[in-house]
Amino acid sequence: MRFKTVSGYSLLAYFNQACNVIINLFFIRILSLPLLGEVALAKVWMQLMDYSHLGFRFALDRYVPVWEKERSEHLLWLCLVVTSAVSTVIISTALVFTDNPLLMGTFVVWGYCVSVATILKNYYRASGDNNRMLYTYAISSTLPIAVQATTVILFGFKWFLFLTVATYFIATAYLFSDKKIVSSVRNIDWKSTIQNVRSSALYLLLNSIVIFLSFSVDRLMLSHFSGKTVLGEYSVVLFGFSLLLIVPSTLAEFVFPKIVRKAADTGKIYFPREIVALLVPTIIAVFVAWMVIPVAIPVLTKYANLTGLMQLVTVGIIPYAVTPILFHVMSARDMRPQLLMAACLTLIFYSAILAWGGKYATHILEFFTAARAGYGYLLLLMYCLFLIPHRQTTQS
């Protein structure tokens, strides 16, 4: 990507994150701990919507950089159709199993709109159309979250729920008013497209489900062992973690098409320059957050007692500067079974640790926080263990 594109995308991403800070701080200030717990569970369902593509969205990252335009457009529409169908099922199920349909309905519809917009953004990014990628990101993410932040400040939580649904629906509909998007749906060979990507999509789907469970199992277990009040405190603790995660995630988007092409064409596995380019800003961001949290949280919220835990969990961000690169390398090298195995083993170990802590830990909130901080390091270790023998095989 050119410097102008990188700068523009970074500015949008960090503006979005600033709005996220405002929204979450107001949630922490105005919502009770039980309601914060309900929001945390609604976010689990919202995150589940991000996997409604059944793995085909990950196939965009793998194949669009190396496929011709027509085949890539067919894959794009396959992703959109599958996402819409599966999302309908998820939304219906979520509304059945909730005591707060307004809250749950807002978050799952929000999740669907974000999923569709992410598919479009990733398609443009993978195909090298950086201007349309930026445009899509601005319309689908920056504009709605600015409305959300303004609404929660001026009008409160209920209006936030209503305008969230309205704004994201309008933004998503506007993206589909583009004639180029609509015209590309003609003459799609659905059968051939599915056959070309179904194997890789299946493995990537299963891997994404396992990763989703890994990011949700702590909240589900904590709700089971300690109730929604402690879960609400845990959501406050994860506030800084969620904000910092955007740093390595955003930077990884700039380097992944190059990594996919090189790994697929030349068999290259390790990318030290790209890892350093992600690792240094991530460590700096963690250091800054570590220094700011003890000063800002007591002033902006009533949870000064949680600042130590918030500092602790931010250290868990560092491995996410490396794992996205290794993920794309393993995917491009058709190591999807190994990706799935690494994710499964990590989930098993992580879940066992949480289950033990839920039963025997004296300070359960502290234990779950430390476990979340360690999860990324465990996943990174698993990726490396599976890459080492593959590197030796490739060199021989």
Side-chain angles (χ1 to χ4, degrees), residues 284-296 311 314:
I284 292 174
V286 170
F287 176 77
V288 171
W290 187 277
M291 301 300 294
V292 169
I293 284 173
V295 178
Q311 287 178 300
T314 59

Short mmCIF file of all heavy atoms in Angstrom, two decimals, residues 284-296 311 314:
data_model
loop_
_atom_site.label_atom_id
_atom_site.label_comp_id
_atom_site.label_asym_id
_atom_site.label_seq_id
_atom_site.Cartn_x
_atom_site.Cartn_y
_atom_site.Cartn_z
N ILE A 284 5.04 -0.34 21.88
CA ILE A 284 4.93 1.07 22.28
C ILE A 284 3.52 1.39 22.78
O ILE A 284 3.34 2.06 23.80
CB ILE A 284 5.31 1.98 21.10
CG1 ILE A 284 6.80 1.84 20.78
CG2 ILE A 284 4.98 3.44 21.42
CD1 ILE A 284 7.24 2.59 19.53
N ALA A 285 2.51 0.88 22.05
CA ALA A 285 1.12 1.13 22.45
C ALA A 285 0.83 0.51 23.81
O ALA A 285 0.14 1.11 24.65
CB ALA A 285 0.18 0.55 21.40
N VAL A 286 1.34 -0.69 24.07
CA VAL A 286 1.14 -1.34 25.36
C VAL A 286 1.81 -0.54 26.47
O VAL A 286 1.25 -0.34 27.55
CB VAL A 286 1.68 -2.79 25.32
CG1 VAL A 286 1.72 -3.39 26.73
CG2 VAL A 286 0.83 -3.65 24.40
N PHE A 287 3.02 -0.05 26.21
CA PHE A 287 3.74 0.75 27.22
C PHE A 287 2.97 2.02 27.55
O PHE A 287 2.82 2.39 28.73
CB PHE A 287 5.14 1.09 26.70
CG PHE A 287 5.91 2.00 27.62
CD1 PHE A 287 6.49 1.50 28.78
CD2 PHE A 287 6.05 3.35 27.32
CE1 PHE A 287 7.20 2.34 29.62
CE2 PHE A 287 6.75 4.19 28.17
CZ PHE A 287 7.33 3.68 29.32
N VAL A 288 2.47 2.70 26.51
CA VAL A 288 1.70 3.93 26.73
C VAL A 288 0.45 3.64 27.54
O VAL A 288 0.10 4.36 28.48
CB VAL A 288 1.35 4.60 25.39
CG1 VAL A 288 0.37 5.75 25.60
CG2 VAL A 288 2.61 5.10 24.69
N ALA A 289 -0.27 2.55 27.17
CA ALA A 289 -1.48 2.19 27.90
C ALA A 289 -1.17 1.86 29.36
O ALA A 289 -1.92 2.24 30.27
CB ALA A 289 -2.14 0.98 27.23
N TRP A 290 -0.06 1.17 29.59
CA TRP A 290 0.35 0.82 30.95
C TRP A 290 0.55 2.07 31.82
O TRP A 290 0.21 2.08 33.00
CB TRP A 290 1.64 0.00 30.89
CG TRP A 290 2.07 -0.56 32.21
CD1 TRP A 290 2.77 0.08 33.18
CD2 TRP A 290 1.83 -1.88 32.71
NE1 TRP A 290 2.99 -0.74 34.25
CE2 TRP A 290 2.41 -1.96 34.00
CE3 TRP A 290 1.18 -3.00 32.20
CZ2 TRP A 290 2.39 -3.11 34.76
CZ3 TRP A 290 1.15 -4.16 32.98
CH2 TRP A 290 1.73 -4.20 34.24
N MET A 291 1.06 3.13 31.19
CA MET A 291 1.31 4.36 31.93
C MET A 291 0.04 5.20 32.10
O MET A 291 -0.13 5.88 33.12
CB MET A 291 2.38 5.20 31.20
CG MET A 291 3.71 4.48 31.02
SD MET A 291 4.49 4.01 32.58
CE MET A 291 4.86 5.63 33.26
N VAL A 292 -0.85 5.15 31.11
CA VAL A 292 -2.03 6.01 31.12
C VAL A 292 -3.15 5.46 31.99
O VAL A 292 -3.87 6.22 32.66
CB VAL A 292 -2.53 6.23 29.67
CG1 VAL A 292 -3.91 6.90 29.67
CG2 VAL A 292 -1.53 7.06 28.89
N ILE A 293 -3.31 4.15 32.01
CA ILE A 293 -4.45 3.53 32.71
C ILE A 293 -4.56 3.96 34.17
O ILE A 293 -5.65 4.36 34.63
CB ILE A 293 -4.38 1.99 32.59
CG1 ILE A 293 -4.81 1.57 31.18
CG2 ILE A 293 -5.27 1.31 33.63
CD1 ILE A 293 -4.61 0.09 30.89
N PRO A 294 -3.49 3.93 35.00
CA PRO A 294 -3.63 4.32 36.41
C PRO A 294 -4.04 5.78 36.59
O PRO A 294 -4.58 6.15 37.65
CB PRO A 294 -2.23 4.07 36.98
CG PRO A 294 -1.57 3.14 36.04
CD PRO A 294 -2.12 3.49 34.70
N VAL A 295 -3.76 6.62 35.58
CA VAL A 295 -4.10 8.04 35.68
C VAL A 295 -5.52 8.29 35.18
O VAL A 295 -6.30 9.01 35.82
CB VAL A 295 -3.11 8.89 34.87
CG1 VAL A 295 -3.50 10.36 34.92
CG2 VAL A 295 -1.68 8.69 35.38
N ALA A 296 -5.88 7.67 34.05
CA ALA A 296 -7.15 7.99 33.39
C ALA A 296 -8.35 7.29 34.01
O ALA A 296 -9.41 7.91 34.16
CB ALA A 296 -7.04 7.64 31.90
N GLN A 311 -4.00 -3.12 33.49
CA GLN A 311 -2.60 -3.08 33.05
C GLN A 311 -2.10 -4.47 32.70
O GLN A 311 -1.43 -4.67 31.68
CB GLN A 311 -1.72 -2.47 34.15
CG GLN A 311 -1.88 -0.97 34.33
CD GLN A 311 -1.01 -0.46 35.46
OE1 GLN A 311 -1.14 -0.88 36.61
NE2 GLN A 311 -0.11 0.45 35.15
N THR A 314 -3.27 -5.89 29.25
CA THR A 314 -2.73 -5.27 28.04
C THR A 314 -1.45 -5.96 27.56
O THR A 314 -1.15 -5.93 26.36
CB THR A 314 -2.43 -3.78 28.27
OG1 THR A 314 -1.48 -3.63 29.33
CG2 THR A 314 -3.70 -3.01 28.61
#
